[in-house]
Amino acid sequence: MRHVGILAHSIEGAALCLRTLSQEGARDLGTHEHADVTLDCIAMGRSMPAWEARDHGAIRKILATSVDRLANAGAEFFVCPDNTAHMALESDGEDLALPGLHIAEIVAEKAAAEGYRRVGVLGTKYTMTGPIYPRVFAAKGIDAEIPDSDERRLINDIIFTELCQGVFTAASRQRYLDIINRLHSLGCDAVALVCTEIPLLVKPDVSPLPTLDSTRLLAAAAHQVAIGARPLPTWYGGAID
């Protein structure tokens, strides 16, 4: 089996990715079995000033340090369970030390396989207004719909003040469900939960629309690479076509 590296940027999403990877292993390989895995995390606080300044190059350098450490630990490829971080990973720079699975590509692949045609996108303010999901969905013939500006502000505030801190409340869940309901009224046939903490708040059994859980989809794909059921990725950072 291949050794998996998890490039963590926010703790709650990375922890869910690690837990899901172990669950995938136990299901396919037997109790207590899973691929070797190493997780590296540089505190997200180091990157927050650069996020506010939209300095993706500075963030990429921080993330690249984690990839270097994963490579030195023996990982053969990496996954980054943080959608927003992919905006920095896609910025210009030297190839990363390891190839990685691109989280948005994994989500778009699943959306296309399920036959979705118009997908709502819920994530940080950077992800919702950024180019990645419109691009990867369009490549699969899928339209992307984002919440309005007030809704985006609410979603983003809850992510950073609650979800990233491990706080999950019924009131915030209902606010997210109201937004998903409005996306449904706009013709969306699914919603992509593309902040990796949102699936901890909005679960499939309460969502008005089918959910695309970016965290668990990424972990499942990493497991498939590890056991040889999916090819080793070839993306070393930078923009994807």
Side-chain angles (χ1 to χ4, degrees), residues 116 118-122 145 176-193 202-212:
Y116 299 136
R118 189 174 189 84
V119 176
V121 177
L122 267 61
E145 183 75 40
Y176 274 45
L177 296 180
D178 290 343
I179 293 168
I180 295 171
N181 260 320
R182 200 183 72 79
L183 292 171
H184 190 189
S185 73
L186 295 176
C188 291
D189 51 7
V191 61
L193 307 181
V202 178
K203 298 182 179 179
D205 60 341
V206 300
S207 175
L209 286 171
T211 59
L212 293 160

Side-chain angles (χ1 to χ4, degrees), residues 154-235:
L154 175 65
I155 291 167
N156 189 77
D157 287 348
I158 289 172
I159 288 170
F160 283 102
T161 64
E162 297 181 19
L163 307 190
C164 286
Q165 312 303 320
V167 177
F168 306 94
T169 70
S172 292
R173 180 179 299 108
Q174 187 56 56
R175 291 187 179 100
Y176 274 45
L177 296 180
D178 290 343
I179 293 168
I180 295 171
N181 260 320
R182 200 183 72 79
L183 292 171
H184 190 189
S185 73
L186 295 176
C188 291
D189 51 7
V191 61
L193 307 181
V194 297
C195 161
T196 49
E197 283 80 23
I198 294 177
L200 293 165
L201 182 71
V202 178
K203 298 182 179 179
D205 60 341
V206 300
S207 175
L209 286 171
T211 59
L212 293 160
D213 179 340
S214 62
T215 320
R216 291 184 173 93
L217 289 172
L218 182 67
H223 168 71
Q224 292 297 305
V225 173
I227 64 174
R230 184 183 182 103
L232 191 69
T234 59
W235 177 62

Side-chain angles (χ1 to χ4, degrees), residues 39-60:
L39 185 151
D40 190 86
C41 184
I42 296 172
M44 189 168 63
R46 288 261 304 275
S47 299
M48 288 309 299
W51 279 119
E52 291 301 326
R54 304 281 177 153
D55 186 354
H56 294 164
I59 300 161
R60 191 186 199 276

Side-chain angles (χ1 to χ4, degrees), residues 78-124:
F78 80 91
V79 293
C80 180
D82 189 295
N83 288 270
T84 305
H86 283 67
M87 296 175 65
L89 292 171
E90 282 200 0
S91 63
D92 292 338
E94 294 182 1
D95 282 356
L96 299 169
L98 293 171
L101 289 170
H102 193 295
I103 193 169
E105 291 279 290
I106 300 299
V107 173
E109 178 183 291
K110 179 65 172 178
E114 295 294 330
Y116 299 136
R117 306 304 300 169
R118 189 174 189 84
V119 176
V121 177
L122 267 61
T124 67

Side-chain angles (χ1 to χ4, degrees), residues 10-30:
S10 57
I11 291 297
E12 294 294 330
L16 177 58
C17 182
L18 176 62
R19 185 162 61 248
T20 304
L21 184 65
S22 71
Q23 292 167 345
E24 292 285 323
R27 186 193 65 198
D28 286 349
L29 306 172

